[in-house]
């Protein structure tokens, strides 16, 4: 065996890469995990919350031991109008563990890699992979800035920009409509202030999605997460919409922060970090080929994100695990051909990952077509309805009702809701 | 909070060489100069006097948006050399 050769090389130590690597190491195989950051997480950002059920499959001790911020016990949607808003919230008081936990990536990714190292993964940070090496139409290794390194299997987990899949032509050029541009601020506030403002305690936390307001008629959404002593607040907008508007991404975020219904949550806090990242939104249709001779693609590099449900890390973790299992079988059979590695796609198809992406393969287009209804008409009428029910004035109620009824009829909201309901119903039954 | 204040919250290890470049002749012909508009770190500026594109690569957040957005596919985009570029403490 050549000196610079191992059984599996995994490129990228995000949730997808680390899950692939740890799965392979647990089977006693040799695996090298490469990351360009000084440590795992240094280059990454997300909302965000990680999902318990999936994460437990790879990191069974994470709830007790990982650097989590807060259990998410309340999921909230805020619909903003110009200067008013409505909030819907769902609370779940968990017994053993919450459905999801807020965290920050610099800490989370690093912890995951520490676990992987404990279980035998060789970790190489501060290493940028420049190129995949190909011999006889098989991927045989990598070229870093310093050296060549060979492996039986290469797993690409280099995230949304995946220069490496692009290099070997596995993935087409990404379109503007395939990604959202996201910006976020981490805002520091005393734990007690956060608890008071969000009505949570040490053992509970909130995840919030925000529609309308500054994002009217845009494919854009805001988000807020409670951490222990910070709030993560950010927004994402599809690149094609961002190109069309006057505002820059950080100016849109400022508009969100200044909205009279949002500002009280973050007021007086100090922004301790600004960041930006893309999310792949292309879904099923923009997925690259997921494997070839000697290679598998996992997580964001393979565009495995369920944007409708704000799920990314969980698809990354499980796709990484399934690619890891496929690698183990391939190593046992000493067969690294595309045919053998196609088992990975089969596993993805059997899992929620490809089922969900398929379910939602036309959802984004549908939402974009109905964006005015969702981000303008509904927040406007929703606020209007609450105002009718709660506002007291000298105007006789029947006149108030009548005016609102005319407004509803004029907006076409009832007719416009029918396709939404039909679309949602189709998603329940279509296979 | 303006963009410079936002960027000042970040830790960078600034490399001497730019990981981003564009062919200025192509930029001269570009109508919308969309790179100057969509970048979350305000890296690109068009200078009308010198008819040239300024690239403040040292502020880059390595997101990849400009690479996709430039309709002329004129941005040569790479990650900074290992150990350089932005470093998130939270993320
Ligand atoms: C604003 C925002 C909010 C989000 N919110 C949520 C949320 O709340 N919940 C959720 O589940 N998901 C969320 N996501 C999605 C989630 O973050 C991603 O789906 C997930 O991180 C994908 O994991 P990954 O391992 O595939 O890629 P990444 O996490 O991007 O990891 C890729 C890694 O590869 C490294 N790398 C890249 N190229 C190279 C190279 N050439 N050489 C060496 N290393 C390289 C990078 O440094 C990085 O560490 C959010 C994303 C964003 C941007
Ligand atoms: S969008 Fe592309 S071509 Fe136009 S100015 Fe920017 S880099 Fe140059
Ligand atoms: S990668 Fe992102 S932050 Fe860097 S220059 Fe391009 S758009 Fe700006």
């Amino acid at each position: 065996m050549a000196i610079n050769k191992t059984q599996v090389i995994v490129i990228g130590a995000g949730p997808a890469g680390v899950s692939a690597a740890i799965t392979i190491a647990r089977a006693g195989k040799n695996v090298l995990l490469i990351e360009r950051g000084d440590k795992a997480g240094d280059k990454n950002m997300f909302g965000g919350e990680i999902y318990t059920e999936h994460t437990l499959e790879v990191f069974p001790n994470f709830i007790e031991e990982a650097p989590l911020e807060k259990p998410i016990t309340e999921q909230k949607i805020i619909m903003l109008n110009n200067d008013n808003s409505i909030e819907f919230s769902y609370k779940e008081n968990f017994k053993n563990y919450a459905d999801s936990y807020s965290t920050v990536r610099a800490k989370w990714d690093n912890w995951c890699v520490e676990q992987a190292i404990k279980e035998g993964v060789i970790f190489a940070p501060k290493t940028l992979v420049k190129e995949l090496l190909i011999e006889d139409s098989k991927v045989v290794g990598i070229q870093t800035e310093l050296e060549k390194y060979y492996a039986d299997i290469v797993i690409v987990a280099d995230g949304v920009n995946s220069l490496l899949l692009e290099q070997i032509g596995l993935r087409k050029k990404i379109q503007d409509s395939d990604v959202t541009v996201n910006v976020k601020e981490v805002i520091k506030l005393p734990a007690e202030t956060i608890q008071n403002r969000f009505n949570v305690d040490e053992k509970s936390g909130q995840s919030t999605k925000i529609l309308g307001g500054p994002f009217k008629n845009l494919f854009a959404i805001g988000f807020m997460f409670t951490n222990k002593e910070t709030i993560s607040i950010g927004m994402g907008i599809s690149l094609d919409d961002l190109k069309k508007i006057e505002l820059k991404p950080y100016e849109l975020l400022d508009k969100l922060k200044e909205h009279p219904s949002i500002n009280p949550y973050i007021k007086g806090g100090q922004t301790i970090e600004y960041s930006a990242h893309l999310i792949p939104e292309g879904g099923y249709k923009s997925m690259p080929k997921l494997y070839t001779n000697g290679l598998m693609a996992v997580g964001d590099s393979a565009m495995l994100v369920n944007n409708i449900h704000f799920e990314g890390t969980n698809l990354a973790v499980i796709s990484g695990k399934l690619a890891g299992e496929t690698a183990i079988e391939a190593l046992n059979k000493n067969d690294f051909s595309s045919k053998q590695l196609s088992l990975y796609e089969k596993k993805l198809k059997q899992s929620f990952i490809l089922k969900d992406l398929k379910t939602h393969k036309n959802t984004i287009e549908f939402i974009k077509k109905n964006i005015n209804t969702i981000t303008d008409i509904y927040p406007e009428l929703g606020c209007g309805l609450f105002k009718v029910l709660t506002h007291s004035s000298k105007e006789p109620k029947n006149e108030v009702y009548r005016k609102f009824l005319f407004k509803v009829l004029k907006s076409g909201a009832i007719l416009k809701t029918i396709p939404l309901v039909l679309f949602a119903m189709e998603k329940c039954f279509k296979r | 909070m303006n963009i410079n204040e936002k960027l000042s919250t970040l830790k960078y290890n600034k490399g001497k060489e730019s990981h981003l470049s564009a062919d200025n002749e192509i930029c001269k012909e570009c109508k919308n100069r969309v790179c100057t508009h969509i970048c979350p770190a305000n890296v690109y500026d068009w200078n009308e006097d010198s008819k040239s594109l300024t690239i403040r690569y040292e502020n880059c957040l390595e997101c990849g948006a400009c690479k996709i957005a430039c309709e002329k596919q004129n941005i040569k985009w790479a990650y900074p050399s290992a150990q350089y570029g932005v470093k998130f403490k939270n993320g």
Side-chain angles (χ1 to χ4, degrees):
Chain A
M1 201 159 80
I3 300 174
N4 272 359
K5 176 151 194 291
T6 184
Q7 289 181 302
V8 184
I9 292 174
V10 181
I11 307 161
V18 75
S19 301
I22 203 169
T23 303
I24 293 163
R26 281 172 182 155
K29 312 289 184 194
N30 298 325
V31 50
L32 173 66
L33 176 62
I34 296 186
E35 168 59 43
R36 67 189 185 93
D38 288 358
K39 56 183 186 24
D42 277 6
K43 297 288 185 183
N44 302 334
M45 74 84 118
F46 84 147
E49 63 196 303
I50 52 149
Y51 298 100
T52 307
E53 201 181 310
H54 316 89
T55 310
L56 279 175
E57 274 197 35
V58 177
F59 300 100
N61 56 341
F62 94 89
I63 296 174
E64 300 78 28
E65 293 176 23
L68 300 169
E69 290 291 334
K70 277 178 163 299
I72 298 299
T73 50
E74 184 173 359
Q75 294 279 351
K76 192 187 255 187
I77 296 175
I78 305 184
M79 281 190 171
L80 299 177
N81 200 3
N82 294 336
D83 44 21
N84 44 7
S85 63
I86 39 178
E87 298 193 356
F88 303 90
S89 111
Y90 169 70
K91 272 191 204 181
E92 190 165 277
N93 302 308
F94 64 95
K95 293 216 172 64
N96 301 319
Y97 49 74
D99 260 4
S100 63
Y101 291 81
S102 60
T103 184
V104 293
R105 293 288 299 275
K107 292 178 194 161
W108 171 257
D109 289 15
N110 189 48
W111 180 84
C112 291
V113 168
E114 280 171 10
Q115 310 313 301
I117 293 169
K118 275 188 213 157
E119 303 214 32
V121 171
I122 308 293
F123 182 53
K126 304 184 195 174
T127 306
L128 178 69
V129 176
K130 297 294 280 182
E131 242 177 39
L132 296 171
L133 300 173
I134 299 172
E135 278 170 22
D136 303 329
S137 57
K138 176 188 181 290
V139 175
V140 293
I142 56 162
Q143 170 77 57
T144 72
E145 290 180 288
L146 301 174
E147 60 186 342
K148 289 185 166 61
Y149 218 107
Y150 294 88
D152 294 325
I153 300 174
V154 173
I155 297 180
V156 174
D158 59 349
V160 54
N161 286 306
S162 196
L163 301 181
L164 298 171
L165 291 185
E166 222 173 77
Q167 177 220 329
I168 59 166
L170 220 56
R171 158 158 145 175
K172 293 176 289 204
K173 185 186 179 309
I174 305 182
Q175 304 299 312
D176 294 340
S177 55
D178 288 340
V179 292
T180 54
V181 179
N182 299 265
V183 290
K184 165 176 131 170
E185 284 178 34
V186 177
I187 295 181
K188 194 164 176 56
L189 280 165
E192 212 169 274
T193 309
I194 294 174
Q195 291 170 19
N196 290 338
R197 289 183 186 180
F198 288 83
N199 192 24
V200 294
D201 60 18
E202 305 84 27
K203 291 202 180 80
S204 54
Q206 234 182 61
S207 154
T208 304
K209 308 288 150 31
I210 308 161
L211 292 171
F215 313 139
K216 258 185 196 173
N217 297 314
L218 296 173
F219 188 78
I221 194 157
F223 58 84
M224 251 192 316
F225 291 90
T226 55
N227 302 319
K228 281 181 189 143
E229 293 183 358
T230 57
I231 294 166
S232 297
I233 181 167
M235 61 83 50
I237 176 167
S238 77
L239 184 52
D240 48 354
D241 273 358
L242 180 60
K243 277 183 166 181
K244 284 182 213 144
I245 58 170
E246 288 292 312
L247 294 175
K248 300 191 174 184
Y250 40 90
E251 292 169 340
L252 263 177
L253 175 57
D254 283 341
K255 287 255 180 276
L256 177 69
K257 285 168 63 189
E258 287 155 14
H259 191 283
S261 297
I262 300 299
N263 190 259
Y265 286 114
I266 53 166
K267 199 165 64 185
Q270 184 205 352
T271 297
I272 56 167
E273 188 173 88
Y274 171 68
S275 56
H277 205 276
L278 301 182
I279 301 184
E281 302 272 346
Y284 196 73
K285 288 180 187 160
S286 68
M287 250 167 39
K289 191 160 176 284
L290 297 163
Y291 59 91
T292 183
N293 294 318
L295 174 140
M296 288 177 274
V298 295
D300 276 13
S301 77
M303 306 293 255
L304 302 179
V305 169
N306 180 349
N307 27 58
I308 310 303
H309 290 271
F310 310 99
E311 295 180 12
T313 57
N314 51 338
L315 282 75
V317 165
I318 300 299
S319 65
K321 179 173 179 247
L322 297 178
E325 290 169 6
T326 306
I328 295 163
E329 271 205 54
L331 287 166
N332 288 341
K333 290 191 179 150
N334 202 27
D335 178 358
F336 314 110
S337 65
S338 173
K339 188 157 173 264
Q340 174 66 33
L341 299 182
S342 70
L343 176 65
Y344 166 53
E345 186 173 72
K346 209 165 141 202
K347 284 173 183 273
L348 280 175
K349 276 187 180 149
Q350 284 161 357
S351 78
F352 72 99
I353 296 180
L354 286 192
K355 285 183 183 157
D356 287 354
L357 291 191
K358 218 167 153 191
T359 299
H360 285 300
K361 73 175 179 212
N362 59 350
T363 306
I364 297 271
E365 275 164 32
F366 181 80
I367 291 176
K368 284 183 176 170
K369 247 194 253 160
N370 291 281
I371 203 77
N372 173 256
T373 311
I374 297 165
T375 64
D376 191 354
I377 297 179
Y378 286 168
E380 167 93 26
L381 293 182
C383 290
L385 176 65
F386 273 85
K387 193 161 175 180
V388 165
L389 297 175
T390 59
H391 188 68
S392 55
S393 73
K394 286 183 277 184
E395 196 176 10
K397 291 293 183 226
N398 58 357
E399 257 176 53
V400 175
Y401 299 157
R402 202 172 334 119
K403 271 191 201 153
F404 182 67
L405 179 66
F406 281 136
K407 198 169 160 184
V408 172
L409 292 175
K410 206 174 140 214
S411 73
I414 297 170
L415 273 180
K416 284 175 180 160
T417 301
I418 296 171
L420 266 67
V421 174
L422 291 177
F423 189 81
M425 277 168 63
E426 183 202 310
K427 294 293 159 223
C428 306
F429 298 108
K430 205 166 172 190
R431 292 194 154 253
Chain B
M1 196 180 193
N2 68 35
I3 183 63
N4 291 331
E5 288 168 320
K6 287 188 208 289
L7 294 174
S8 73
T9 64
L10 284 161
K11 236 178 110 178
Y12 290 96
N13 189 6
K14 296 182 181 178
K16 286 197 185 68
E17 266 173 57
S18 176
H19 58 290
L20 309 166
S21 65
D23 177 346
N24 205 62
E25 291 309 309
I26 296 178
C27 298
K28 278 184 189 165
E29 306 298 316
C30 179
K31 282 198 202 80
N32 49 17
R33 303 224 170 82
V34 70
C35 60
T36 63
H37 177 77
I38 55 89
C39 170
N42 201 24
V43 163
Y44 300 94
D45 253 333
W46 179 252
N47 189 322
E48 196 48 56
D49 294 337
S50 60
K51 300 252 178 292
S52 65
L53 189 73
T54 315
I55 307 179
R56 286 179 292 265
Y57 70 91
E58 65 278 9
N59 288 342
C60 175
L61 298 169
E62 302 163 28
C63 75
C66 56
K67 168 178 183 280
I68 302 167
C70 170
E71 274 144 37
K72 301 186 185 284
Q73 300 190 34
N74 188 29
I75 296 177
K76 254 174 97 188
W77 195 94
Y79 286 119
S81 207
Q83 302 181 48
Y84 290 112
V86 71
K87 191 164 164 174
F88 297 129
K89 285 193 297 282
N90 292 277

